[in-house]
Amino acid sequence: ALTLTQPTTQNNAVVGGTYTRTFTITNGASGCANAVHFSITYPGAGIQLVDLSLGATHLTPTSTVGNTSYFTIQGSLLTADTQLCNGESLTFTETYKVKACDAVTNYATGWGCSAAPASWCTTTTGIGNITMAEGVPIFGSFNVVRTGLVDSCTNFNLIVTYKNTGTGNSTAATMYNVKLRLGAGATLALSNFNFSFLRLMSGTIGTLTNIPVTNGQPVSTSIAYIDTTNNALFTSDPDGAGVGLEDVDGDGFYDDLPPGNTVTINYVMSVNCSKYLCNQEHSEYYSLYGDVQHTTMCSSAIETPTRLTSNTFNQQISTLSNKSYAPSNIPGNTTFRARFSVGYYILNNVLDTSNTRYIYEITLPTGVAMVGTGNISWRNGQYPNNSTSAGTSVTATVSGSVLTIQSPSNAVGWIEIDLTTDCSVITPNAQGVFTTTIPFKFKRLDNIVTGCLCNAEIFCNSLVLQNILCPITCASGGPTTTSSLVERASNSYGWTDNTLSTIQSKSSISTYDLSKALYLDDIEVSSNATQGAASSNLYLHFSIIKHKAPYTENKITPSSINLTIKRGGTVLTSSTLSGTYCTITSGSAGSPVEYYQYLDWNLSSILPPGGLLPNDEIISVATYQVSSNNLATHDIQTGKLMYFYNKDVSNNKLYCNTVVPELYLVSPVITDAHNGGVYLTASSCDVMNVGAGTNYYAYRFDAGGTIFLNEIRPGFLPTQYEITLPTNYELDKVVNSDYGGTLTPASISGNTYTFNLSVKSYPITVTNTYSTIFTVYIKPTCGSIASGENYLSKLYYIPQYYYHKKQASLPTPSTLNKTLSIAYNNDSRPEVSLTNQTGSIQATNTTESFVFRMASIGTTKAPYTWFSIPTVSGVTITQVKDIATGTILTPITYTGGQW
């Protein structure tokens, strides 16, 4: 009988590699054979035979059928006596080239009356195994650098680099047939450029210039890429040997990227300078992303690696608002200080250079003029940034009625300027109010040297002078209102610092901030007037604008009013009435429609005996509570009108003028920021930070709002934080530096973790500022699935803490709930393989051994590995040894076998 000793497994093979192995045929029978027949089969043509030799003799198949070659050894090739007798062997040397991964070879040998296998009396088989070299291509480095920028009116370059940082065998870790892609980041996939704004014209790789960039021109949906696969442009090495692209697979195209190599592309870019007009709201959030689509040594399937980002191009203009300001009541023919300012969530242009400037272009209406040179101050940022500094003195260029004020540097900013009004040329409106509007534009000058203007007009709006106090002739005989002042009551001041132990003094709070009130605050409205003709009655009208729905809801509730009447400097009477003496009505007017709340006090019952006489001095202080939380989320002038009046016998109102009470009713909102999306993707066995961008809390105004400058007004008080994890994830830790770092759960119920929080409040802030951040770290498990799992986050907090802190007890906490979707990237899941290195064991001895190989074949490292050997009847495992280290492994018994 013939036996076949199969070849030793070829380890660490690569496609295209040529290798040599031996196999042996032995006659173990008592008789001799005068001919030995054998066959070699290469299934699927995964291996190509280069040479087969017996000693010095090169063998030629007697026949080949499909992938099987047949050989016959006889005569002198057997032995000197032309016989293969007991114990004699033939050892063959096989040289072969690997054409496909994990290819096997099937051997068969026998003897018989002819070479045909059907005539063999006995047949023995064997297998030749190969295991592939371990190597993982990894897209591990991506970078974008801008060069050659003069201004937005000329082309510039993006130098983009892609690097394969793969590990293991070079051939196995090569990226084959690469497509180099570039786009802007989204949450789940490579996103698209807004090519209607920023355009890719062409690319250069090494000496290869003007490579067409697919989808580089303006289209609605596109990803820019250069496809090197079988591309006629890449039949020679464009960037030099060992640098970037190579022809590793020998297909004649330099379309492969070996590990350690970097491809550098110079993209030529241009800007569409006619894309945007006032008012601009757009985002070219080119936090640039790239990936390298490719095939691998062992697969023709296209791999798309996790994209990488290079934070190079980030141009955004978002949530622009008008933060300009002038006093609500401006005495005519006198100087007043005006502010022109743009509020924003973000206002950023990555194409700014040192030659970029920002401009306020102000058109002065008839009756408004700049005082001298304007005493103009420029401060960087948006109001109230740098409001306590003197700013930088700048001058205005005057052309007719247009003032042009340019920034001293390339920073966005705001200005203050001295203006005056001329009552001789300003005419009152239909309601008898002297008012006018000052239009302005906020513009960007791309380059002061070249004069480049590119999408220049950013924001266009107006500053309204609501009430210019010009002299009038009063014929009605009613009272003339001389002043109005709105301030928060003393019980609604903030604290001096974050300890919330000392109430801030009124003298330390600006007039502007005193006129700004929140939900549940008390406000005091002081007003003075001089009586005209004698009257037995007196009323006070106060109206506000309802800036936010529901418009049927009253925004403030009257509490009381104190009235003092003086005659010739002597107090005649001073009395207080409750809010029941105030009549509340609603109304609307204008286009676009404004909604109003009217409050009219009847003060007739507390007039002095005999009523009012001419020139009597009227002084009142009315108190109201802000009773609605449905208010504007940034500072908007809320006061509409205020005036004292009498009524005649026909119930007509008699008054001489009106004033505009300066009042800002605002409402911060609590935010639980997602900051870029709610989709989280776990990978490998890595700990994932789900807190980054997902658990940012704040109580804040919108981008147009302003903080309280010199007092602490705490928005909310967190009391507990709670998370519930999917069952297929484990909690690693929760971190918040405000509460000492890593938090310890107060309770754990299943996968729900609750953390108690010490008393710490946070001042009201403005977008984009956060108060406290909970960072949650979790780990995937073997059970983590690609999609369909959620992470639940809950914050317990006391709202309006600026009010509740001063009360005897706290209310029941409110909750802020959020559900975040968690996906698992299956492509990153660690994977191992077990390969039999010995083949079938012919148990001819009492003790046998075999070799198997454990290999990591995934794209990420498996941090822990196990293998199990099940119990088989009649077989006892005596030892398991790690061949690489010689370590004898200690088994762990389990039901049915050992680990």
Side-chain angles (χ1 to χ4, degrees):
L2 298 178
T3 61
L4 187 146
T5 303
Q6 64 191 27
T8 303
T9 297
Q10 171 65 52
N11 291 321
N12 301 319
V14 297
V15 172
T18 300
Y19 304 93
T20 299
R21 60 189 174 188
T22 61
F23 61 91
T24 301
I25 297 174
T26 302
N27 187 351
S30 57
C32 296
N34 61 5
V36 173
H37 312 289
F38 68 91
S39 66
I40 303 176
T41 302
Y42 301 123
I47 288 178
Q48 175 188 335
L49 179 64
V50 176
D51 181 68
L52 183 68
S53 60
L54 178 61
T57 302
H58 296 279
L59 304 178
T60 301
T62 57
S63 64
T64 299
V65 179
N67 293 323
T68 302
S69 296
Y70 296 94
F71 299 85
T72 297
I73 306 301
Q74 57 188 356
S76 61
L77 288 178
L78 288 175
T79 58
D81 61 1
T82 70
Q83 300 286 317
L84 189 69
C85 298
N86 179 263
E88 294 180 328
S89 301
L90 302 172
T91 298
F92 300 89
T93 301
E94 177 189 7
T95 302
Y96 60 97
K97 183 175 184 179
V98 176
K99 305 288 286 183
C101 289
D102 301 313
V104 297
T105 303
N106 295 319
Y107 302 91
T109 186
W111 62 271
C113 299
S114 72
S119 302
W120 297 354
C121 296
T122 62
T123 300
T124 303
T125 62
I127 297 176
N129 287 314
I130 64 172
T131 62
M132 305 308 295
E134 294 181 29
V136 180
I138 300 172
F139 176 45
S141 177
F142 172 73
N143 191 43
V144 183
V145 177
R146 186 187 68 203
T147 65
L149 176 66
V150 176
D151 55 43
S152 299
C153 299
T154 56
N155 291 349
F156 61 94
N157 305 312
L158 292 183
I159 309 300
V160 184
T161 57
Y162 305 79
K163 185 175 183 179
N164 180 357
T165 59
T167 59
N169 178 272
S170 177
T171 304
T174 292
M175 296 175 172
Y176 295 90
N177 306 309
V178 299
K179 180 188 288 187
L180 306 160
R181 303 204 303 170
L182 181 68
T187 303
L188 297 179
L190 197 68
S191 183
N192 307 309
F193 275 106
N194 178 0
F195 280 115
S196 62
F197 175 73
L198 184 66
R199 299 172 176 174
L200 278 74
M201 311 304 291
S202 62
T204 297
I205 299 178
T207 58
L208 189 60
T209 61
N210 298 321
I211 306 169
V213 181
T214 304
N215 285 345
Q217 293 305 307
V219 289
S220 58
T221 56
S222 57
I223 297 172
Y225 62 87
I226 295 175
D227 191 351
T228 68
T229 306
N230 299 332
N231 190 324
L233 293 172
F234 293 91
T235 54
S236 61
D237 193 339
D239 48 12
V243 176
L245 296 175
E246 307 291 345
D247 183 14
V248 179
D249 57 10
D251 64 357
F253 297 97
Y254 286 79
D255 56 2
D256 310 320
L257 185 62
N261 282 23
T262 299
V263 175
T264 300
I265 304 176
N266 182 354
Y267 286 105
V268 178
M269 315 296 295
S270 67
V271 176
N272 179 359
C273 286
S274 301
K275 174 67 176 174
Y276 298 112
L277 299 173
C278 269
N279 284 327
Q280 296 188 31
E281 288 278 336
H282 56 88
S283 173
E284 280 69 57
Y285 193 75
Y286 298 163
S287 184
L288 294 173
Y289 283 78
D291 66 23
V292 182
Q293 288 189 328
H294 63 277
T295 59
T296 63
M297 181 181 74
C298 291
S299 174
S300 60
I302 295 176
E303 300 281 343
T304 302
T306 301
R307 73 206 189 288
L308 299 178
T309 182
S310 176
N311 293 318
T312 300
F313 195 105
N314 177 4
Q315 175 166 301
Q316 290 181 282
I317 299 178
S318 174
T319 322
L320 299 182
S321 62
N322 190 356
K323 281 193 171 182
S324 302
Y325 171 79
S328 296
N329 301 283
I330 299 171
N333 306 317
T334 61
T335 298
F336 66 95
R337 192 79 169 154
R339 177 178 75 236
F340 291 88
S341 176
V342 179
Y344 48 86
Y345 173 78
I346 188 168
L347 202 166
N348 177 68
N349 193 318
V350 75
L351 298 176
D352 281 359
T353 69
S354 59
N355 289 332
T356 301
R357 295 294 182 268
Y358 287 87
I359 291 170
Y360 281 95
E361 185 179 277
I362 302 169
T363 301
L364 297 179
T366 300
V368 179
M370 181 172 63
V371 178
T373 59
N375 185 26
I376 307 170
S377 295
W378 180 286
R379 297 177 177 87
N380 291 340
Q382 59 175 311
Y383 180 83
N385 289 357
N386 307 303
S387 58
T388 58
S389 71
T392 301
S393 179
V394 293
T395 58
T397 301
V398 182
S399 177
S401 61
V402 178
L403 308 179
T404 301
I405 301 164
Q406 183 174 288
S407 62
S409 69
N410 64 349
V412 172
W414 54 280
I415 63 168
E416 287 185 328
I417 182 173
D418 286 342
L419 301 175
T420 187
T421 59
D422 185 351
C423 285
S424 66
V425 295
I426 298 177
T427 57
N429 61 17
Q431 289 75 41
V433 177
F434 291 85
T435 181
T436 192
T437 298
I438 306 176
F440 72 92
K441 294 180 180 179
F442 182 67
K443 302 170 68 173
R444 176 179 176 273
L445 173 58
D446 195 279
N447 191 326
I448 57 174
V449 176
T450 65
C452 171
L453 293 170
C454 185
N455 301 303
E457 294 189 354
I458 297 173
F459 185 70
C460 304
N461 214 294
S462 298
L463 172 61
V464 178
L465 306 186
Q466 297 177 78
N467 191 24
I468 303 168
L469 301 175
C470 291
I472 60 171
T473 300
C474 180
S476 73
T480 298
T481 303
T482 55
S483 66
S484 171
L485 178 64
V486 182
E487 295 179 328
R488 272 179 284 132
S490 59
N491 65 351
S492 298
Y493 297 165
W495 285 264
T496 57
D497 56 40
N498 283 318
T499 65
L500 308 186
S501 58
T502 304
I503 299 295
Q504 183 61 282
S505 63
K506 179 179 179 180
S507 61
S508 297
I509 305 173
S510 69
T511 301
Y512 182 89
D513 277 354
L514 283 173
S515 68
K516 182 164 62 178
L518 308 174
Y519 173 53
L520 299 176
D521 279 349
D522 287 331
I523 58 173
E524 295 176 342
V525 183
S526 302
S527 49
N528 293 0
T530 301
Q531 180 63 30
S535 176
S536 61
N537 60 68
L538 179 66
Y539 300 86
L540 174 63
H541 173 85
F542 175 41
S543 58
I544 64 171
I545 305 169
K546 300 179 181 180
H547 288 295
K548 189 173 180 181
Y551 298 116
T552 55
E553 175 189 68
N554 292 320
K555 303 302 182 182
I556 61 176
T557 299
S559 300
S560 64
I561 188 169
N562 177 266
L563 177 68
T564 299
I565 305 296
K566 290 184 179 180
R567 185 173 297 161
T570 301
V571 174
L572 298 182
T573 183
S574 182
S575 300
T576 299
L577 294 176
S578 70
T580 58
Y581 285 83
C582 184
T583 302
I584 301 175
T585 56
S586 296
S588 60
S591 179
V593 176
E594 279 189 343
Y595 296 87
Y596 310 117
Q597 179 182 355
Y598 303 118
L599 300 104
D600 285 87
W601 291 90
N602 186 347
L603 307 175
S604 304
S605 63
I606 54 174
L607 292 179
L612 296 171
L613 297 179
N615 298 317
D616 279 354
E617 185 179 357
I618 304 168
I619 304 168
S620 73
V621 179
T623 303
Y624 307 86
Q625 185 179 49
V626 183
S627 51
S628 170
N629 202 27
N630 294 301
L631 305 170
T633 52
H634 62 267
D635 303 4
I636 302 179
Q637 164 64 4
T638 309
K640 176 64 177 173
L641 283 177
M642 175 177 286
Y643 54 91
F644 287 95
Y645 63 94
N646 309 131
K647 288 185 179 181
D648 63 16
V649 293
S650 300
N651 231 25
N652 295 314
K653 289 184 177 181
L654 305 175
Y655 58 94
C656 288
N657 69 329
T658 64
V659 294
V660 176
E662 188 165 334
L663 169 64
Y664 306 91
L665 296 183
V666 287
S667 178
V669 294
I670 191 166
T671 60
D672 183 358
H674 296 156
N675 199 25
V678 297
Y679 298 100
L680 307 168
T681 301
S683 62
S684 184
C685 297
D686 301 334
V687 173
M688 177 176 62
N689 177 356
V690 299
T694 59
N695 293 287
Y696 287 51
Y697 296 101
Y699 219 67
R700 62 191 187 184
F701 303 122
D702 67 29
T706 56
I707 60 173
F708 291 92
L709 286 177
N710 201 31
E711 56 182 325
I712 301 300
R713 305 215 69 193
F716 70 121
L717 174 69
T719 58
Q720 280 187 333
Y721 180 67
E722 182 180 287
I723 58 171
T724 301
L725 298 184
T727 55
N728 294 319
Y729 287 84
E730 298 176 354
L731 178 67
D732 183 66
K733 60 184 174 182
V734 176
V735 176
N736 188 311
S737 60
D738 294 333
Y739 298 97
T742 301
L743 307 183
T744 301
S747 65
I748 303 174
S749 177
N751 268 24
T752 297
Y753 300 79
T754 302
F755 303 86
N756 292 335
L757 305 175
S758 58
V759 175
K760 184 174 182 61
S761 61
Y762 300 93
I764 297 167
T765 184
V766 179
T767 303
N768 175 35
T769 305
Y770 302 103
S771 295
T772 189
I773 303 170
F774 291 87
T775 306
V776 180
Y777 297 87
I778 66 174
K779 295 186 293 185
T781 67
C782 295
S784 299
I785 59 178
S787 61
E789 299 199 274
N790 295 319
Y791 152 79
L792 308 178
S793 172
K794 181 182 290 188
L795 181 74
Y796 294 84
Y797 69 98
I798 304 298
Q800 293 94 38
Y801 195 54
Y802 57 83
Y803 171 82
H804 292 295
K805 164 67 175 173
K806 299 177 180 179
Q807 308 309 307
S809 60
L810 295 177
T812 301
S814 301
T815 59
L816 199 60
N817 304 327
K818 177 176 59 196
T819 300
L820 302 176
S821 298
I822 298 182
Y824 183 82
N825 179 8
N826 279 325
D827 291 339
S828 71
R829 192 183 297 277
E831 185 177 359
V832 295
S833 65
L834 290 177
T835 306
N836 182 350
Q837 302 271 278
T838 304
S840 299
I841 297 175
Q842 300 176 12
T844 59
N845 299 306
T846 57
T847 300
E848 298 284 356
S849 66
F850 67 94
V851 176
F852 67 91
R853 184 187 194 215
M854 176 186 287
S856 175
I857 60 174
T859 59
T860 57
K861 178 182 178 181
Y864 305 99
T865 54
W866 300 266
F867 61 84
S868 63
I869 304 175
T871 299
V872 176
S873 177
V875 177
T876 301
I877 303 298
T878 60
Q879 178 180 286
V880 177
K881 181 171 71 174
D882 184 340
I883 294 176
T885 63
T887 303
I888 306 300
L889 303 182
T890 302
I892 302 172
T893 302
Y894 74 100
T895 302
Q898 291 182 336
W899 292 98

